[in-house]
């Protein structure tokens, strides 16, 4: 009996170690594999590449905005510099862009492709679980969006003023004036990549707006309750709910993003807006 108990205890400890290693290592491995940086042909780290004096002079006179990045989906500390991933604050201060749109991805189908995807699978759920997101995000797309918005706020709070979250036109004007004196500042704007995060409920528009979202991508890689996707199954136009959403966003002076939307949805939004 003593040996049996010891064996069970040892097996349980071994399983716990395996699970701990899985949750510790798996998300980073997936992140590095999916978000690689291709080194320049000349070789060497990206941050050490040089550009011509003429290019540097032109770049210094620009206000650069990157309109899409998904780092909120991953477990990286955006205050650090990484050799993989789309962006972080350290690399942005070297490169000098003024504005960064942070897109929140809440659901991605398996076997992702640009032609035809259904909504019957959910890879982000497994990513949320393995990265130890709060359980309330595991089965709620809205809660995943709220979690990523709160994550951006935390990054800004811990950035020593390097990152400023922009919520309104007046915020942008103030930020750009500050940036003239402090060129390293970065302004962040929150975007939803797909309104399936509304979970079909109009009141979630206000909830997500209050959380800081100002850019509303209607679809991602599959059709949803708002509109058809260019990569979905039906690839239809706006739904009745989608037409209501267009009006709501315009009344609240949000930005409609039609990337990934079907041609029919694209035309209908332009006719309404």
């Amino acid at each position: 009996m003593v040996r049996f108990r010891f064996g069970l205890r040892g097996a349980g400890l071994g399983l716990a170690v395996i699970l701990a290693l899985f949750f510790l290592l798996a998300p980073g491995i997936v992140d590095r594999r999916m978000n690689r940086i291709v080194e320049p042909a000349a070789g060497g780290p990206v941050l050490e590449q040089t550009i011509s004096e003429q290019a540097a002079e032109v770049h210094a006179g620009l206000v650069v905005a990157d309109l899409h990045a998904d780092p909120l989906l991953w477990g990286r500390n955006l205050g650090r510099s990484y050799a993989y991933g789309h962006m972080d604050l350290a690399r942005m201060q070297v490169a000098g862009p003024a504005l960064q749109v942070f897109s929140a991805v809440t659901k991605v189908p398996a076997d992702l492709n640009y032609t035809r995807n259904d909504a019957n699978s959910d890879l982000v759920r497994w990513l949320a679980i393995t990265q130890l997101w709060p359980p309330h995000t595991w089965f709620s797309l809205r809660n995943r969006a709220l979690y990523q918005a709160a994550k951006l706020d935390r990054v800004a709070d811990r950035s020593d003023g390097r990152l400023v979250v922009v919520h309104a036109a007046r915020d942008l004007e103030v930020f750009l004036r500050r940036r003239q004196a402090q060129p390293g500042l970065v302004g962040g704007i929150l975007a939803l990549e797909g309104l399936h995060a509304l979970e079909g409920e109009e009141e979630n528009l206000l909830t997500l707006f209050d959380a800081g979202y100002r850019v509303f991508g209607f679809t991602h890689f599959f059709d949803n309750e708002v509109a058809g996707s260019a990569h979905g199954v039906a690839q239809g136009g706006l739904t009745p709910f989608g037409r209501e959403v267009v009006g709501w966003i315009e009344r609240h002076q949000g930005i409609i993003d039609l990337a990934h939307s079907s041609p029919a949805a694209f035309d209908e939004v332009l006719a309404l807006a």
Side-chain angles (χ1 to χ4, degrees):
M1 181 64 73
V2 173
R3 289 182 181 177
F4 181 69
R5 288 176 179 172
F6 180 80
L8 284 179
R9 191 178 298 118
L13 180 60
L15 179 60
V17 170
I18 291 171
L19 288 173
L21 288 173
F22 173 78
F23 285 108
L24 182 65
L25 299 177
I29 292 171
V30 174
D31 189 3
R32 287 178 176 85
R33 182 177 178 182
M34 295 189 66
N35 299 301
R36 293 173 292 175
I37 294 176
V38 179
E39 297 289 352
V46 172
L47 289 182
E48 295 180 7
Q49 299 302 305
T50 59
I51 59 176
S52 69
E53 291 184 8
Q54 181 182 10
E57 183 179 352
V58 171
H59 186 73
L62 300 175
V63 177
V64 178
D66 179 0
L67 299 182
H68 185 99
D70 299 332
L72 299 178
L73 187 60
W74 304 96
R76 281 175 255 128
N77 174 3
L78 295 183
R80 286 179 46 199
S81 180
Y82 290 81
Y84 60 96
H86 187 135
M87 52 73 62
D88 49 60
L89 290 180
R91 280 184 285 163
M92 291 189 78
Q93 291 189 302
V94 173
L99 295 171
Q100 177 66 60
V101 174
F102 291 86
S103 302
V105 179
T106 58
K107 182 175 179 177
V108 174
D111 300 320
L112 188 66
N113 63 83
Y114 285 105
T115 306
R116 183 184 173 90
N117 302 275
D118 62 40
N120 297 329
S121 54
D122 182 4
L123 294 180
V124 175
R125 173 181 299 159
W126 301 113
L127 189 62
I129 292 171
T130 57
Q131 292 190 130
L132 301 179
W133 288 16
H136 69 265
T137 66
W138 298 355
F139 300 97
S140 170
L141 307 186
R142 185 202 69 162
N143 288 344
R144 293 176 198 172
L146 293 174
Y147 177 79
Q148 292 179 70
K151 181 177 180 179
L152 181 62
D153 287 337
R154 288 195 300 271
V155 172
D157 290 342
R158 298 169 183 171
S159 70
D160 296 323
R162 292 179 296 162
L163 174 64
V164 178
V165 181
V166 174
H167 291 138
R170 60 183 177 275
D171 295 345
L172 182 58
E173 293 168 1
V174 171
F175 166 77
L176 291 175
R177 286 198 298 270
R178 285 184 57 199
R179 195 174 186 275
Q180 290 177 347
Q182 299 173 269
L185 295 184
V186 176
I189 300 172
L190 265 174
L192 270 171
E193 193 154 22
L195 292 188
H196 38 274
L198 298 179
E199 299 179 336
E201 301 292 338
E202 185 173 354
E203 57 264 29
N204 283 334
L205 276 164
L206 183 58
T207 300
L208 294 169
F209 191 87
D210 287 344
Y213 286 97
R214 294 297 180 268
V215 181
F216 298 86
F218 271 38
T219 64
H220 199 198
F221 275 93
F222 53 90
D223 306 325
N224 61 34
E225 300 94 339
V226 171
S229 166
H231 326 289
V233 175
Q235 301 183 14
L238 289 176
T239 65
F241 178 48
R243 287 189 281 274
E244 293 178 10
V245 168
V246 172
W248 192 99
I249 294 173
E250 291 212 311
R251 289 193 301 274
H252 289 77
Q253 298 183 316
I255 297 172
I256 293 174
D257 176 5
L258 293 175
H260 297 288
S261 292
S262 69
F266 204 106
D267 290 343
E268 289 183 42
V269 171
L270 292 182
L272 287 172

